[in-house]
Amino acid sequence: MDWRTTTAVLCLYGAVKEFRPATPFLTPFLASPEKNLTLDELYSQVYPYWTYSYMMALIPMFVLTDILRYKPIVMIEAIGLVATWSLLVFGKGVTQMQIMQVSFGVASAAEIAYYSYIYSIVDRKHYKRATSYIRSAALFGKLVAFGLGQTLISTHASNYLVLNQISLGAVCLVTVIAVFLPRVKSEKAKVSMRAMSIEEQQNLELVTSVPKEKKLSYTREYLKRSLEELKTCSQNHELLKWSLWWALASCGVYQVQNYTQSLWKEMQTDPDDVANGVVEFVNTALGAFLSLFIHHLSINWARHGQMILFVTSAIVAGLLYVCSQTQTVMVAYVAYVVIASIYHMLITAASANVAKELSSNNHGLIFGCNTFL
């Protein structure tokens, strides 16, 4: 399977896994009579389980992503999403919702395999284009899902439970798609394969198992190489700049995404007139467009990147202040869309710039470290 076909399958996986129309309505759903949880229970007893399970799961995920060569971790993400939405549809009470958040935390941690997988199969010269494709595919899945969700809720054609049932169907389908993703060979194996004759490669295919000693040797070699990679990365100022922005910006956006529905709920006077889906639809449409658009811009990031990050961060800070002070939900909606759109655009640039600076195939390690921070 060549890199274009693999990229297409990976984009399909990303689009389907994000096709979850229930996401913008999670808080209203859990606080509805269907689940009957209070906002205090949600924000003090349920949602924190995602934060800490995500953080703890990230450590094994970013180490195992490169060792296991991506696909098994992608499978873990898909299975975690199935467990999450099974509990949302069939689960009851605080305890089961806490387990739901833990499974979602594991799935969120495993997502680094999806975003770093692409760099192991494409040539370095295609990094910018490939990054735009996979991020835009995920945003396109969200776009369609949020549009459908808001339409069904606004027209009273469906309810929050049905949206979660649709989401469960989508994440079950994505598990099937993940099976068709090809395994990624290690760099050492790729070099060896290129050096072999056709006859030797055919003979190699007859070997169905790898001795345990060789697997342990590869793991030791990988860990040694990873430590050397981290040491080298710590001296790369361009890589450090983008990684620091990645960590801080993602941290801020996670806070906004986790609590913005609660903020909106304080300003939404009519519980039946909730436009969360419209907001996420517009936000995702802009994000998808900007993620593709930035690929076509000829920006010298080494020269102008720092100023761009400074100006956009200042804009986001100002908008966050406006969100915290306004009493008008429409103002909060608009500010949220601009904040998220800036993030979608620049995280695409950050991913490509970080990947470009890496000299080895440890993309999962570095992406995971940034996300963990």
Side-chain angles (χ1 to χ4, degrees):
M1 191 180 289
D2 70 2
W3 75 268
R4 291 180 181 84
T5 307
T6 306
T7 302
V9 177
L10 201 59
C11 287
L12 178 63
Y13 173 89
V16 177
K17 89 180 176 73
E18 295 296 347
F19 184 76
R20 308 194 296 259
T23 300
F25 306 100
L26 178 61
T27 297
F29 172 59
L30 294 177
S32 70
E34 183 70 37
K35 297 299 177 183
N36 204 29
L37 297 178
T38 66
L39 286 179
D40 183 59
E41 286 174 328
L42 287 175
Y43 284 97
S44 63
Q45 298 180 51
V46 176
Y47 290 161
Y49 275 76
W50 172 80
T51 305
Y52 296 111
S53 61
Y54 183 13
M55 183 177 72
M56 289 187 289
L58 263 173
I59 299 173
M61 290 303 172
F62 69 65
V63 172
L64 292 174
T65 293
D66 290 312
I67 293 177
L68 299 179
R69 310 309 294 158
Y70 307 97
K71 182 176 177 177
I73 307 302
V74 171
M75 292 292 299
I76 289 173
E77 180 191 16
I79 293 167
L81 290 173
V82 171
T84 299
W85 259 270
S86 296
L87 285 164
L88 276 170
V89 172
F90 302 110
K92 297 283 186 183
V94 171
T95 302
Q96 291 188 25
M97 292 305 103
Q98 288 171 339
I99 297 171
M100 175 272 293
Q101 286 287 278
V102 170
S103 64
F104 189 52
V106 173
S108 299
E111 190 178 43
I112 60 169
Y114 168 70
Y115 285 114
S116 55
Y117 189 119
I118 195 75
Y119 303 113
S120 65
I121 58 171
V122 304
D123 192 86
R124 191 175 292 268
K125 65 183 178 183
H126 298 307
Y127 277 3
K128 203 162 96 171
R129 183 168 59 162
T131 304
S132 293
Y133 288 162
I134 63 166
R135 288 198 172 270
S136 296
L139 290 171
F140 178 75
K142 287 184 179 181
L143 178 70
V144 177
F146 297 162
L148 174 65
Q150 186 64 58
T151 301
L152 293 175
I153 293 300
S154 296
T155 59
H156 303 287
S158 187
N159 57 35
Y160 297 140
L161 177 60
V162 172
L163 296 187
N164 281 279
Q165 291 168 341
I166 294 171
S167 301
L168 175 59
V171 295
C172 287
L173 176 59
V174 89
T175 308
V176 177
I177 296 172
V179 173
F180 291 95
L181 284 169
R183 290 188 69 94
V184 178
K185 295 184 178 70
S186 68
E187 284 297 295
K188 187 174 179 180
K190 289 178 184 176
V191 172
S192 299
M193 288 293 284
R194 283 195 290 267
M196 288 180 183
S197 66
I198 294 174
E199 183 180 351
E200 287 173 325
Q201 291 185 31
Q202 289 172 340
N203 291 335
L204 183 63
E205 288 172 359
L206 298 175
V207 181
T208 57
S209 62
V210 179
K212 187 176 180 181
E213 293 78 10
K214 287 191 176 181
K215 289 182 179 178
L216 289 173
S217 175
Y218 170 73
T219 303
R220 281 195 296 268
E221 183 183 333
Y222 165 78
L223 293 173
K224 181 182 177 183
R225 187 159 43 88
S226 296
L227 289 174
E228 292 172 355
E229 175 75 12
L230 288 173
K231 191 182 295 183
T232 303
C233 288
S234 67
Q235 299 167 355
N236 186 326
H237 295 295
E238 191 69 14
L239 178 62
L240 288 176
K241 176 183 73 180
W242 283 104
S243 294
L244 181 62
W245 179 89
W246 180 331
L248 293 175
S250 296
C251 174
V253 167
Y254 290 159
Q255 298 304 310
V256 172
Q257 290 175 338
N258 283 351
Y259 297 103
T260 195
Q261 288 189 26
S262 179
L263 177 68
W264 295 344
K265 193 171 178 63
E266 294 292 326
M267 293 181 277
Q268 289 163 341
T269 53
D270 183 358
D272 295 323
D273 184 22
V274 176
N276 295 13
V278 172
V279 177
E280 293 290 5
F281 178 87
V282 174
N283 159 39
T284 308
L286 271 175
F289 170 75
L290 291 171
S291 295
L292 281 173
F293 178 69
I294 201 167
H295 156 62
H296 297 287
L297 295 179
S298 299
I299 298 174
N300 185 338
W301 290 105
R303 186 174 180 180
H304 303 297
Q306 199 158 324
M307 181 56 68
I308 292 172
L309 294 182
F310 173 77
V311 171
T312 53
S313 297
I315 292 170
V316 168
L319 290 171
L320 284 173
Y321 179 77
V322 170
C323 281
S324 72
Q325 301 302 310
T326 185
Q327 298 297 317
T328 307
V329 70
M330 190 56 66
V331 173
Y333 282 160
V334 172
Y336 171 75
V337 167
V338 177
I339 290 167
S341 296
I342 289 173
Y343 175 76
H344 287 316
M345 178 176 65
L346 289 181
I347 195 66
T348 304
S351 298
N353 279 296
V354 167
K356 185 180 68 176
E357 294 295 326
L358 297 178
S359 56
S360 74
N361 208 33
N362 281 357
H363 295 99
L365 175 71
I366 304 304
F367 280 35
C369 285
N370 289 347
T371 307
F372 179 76
L373 287 175

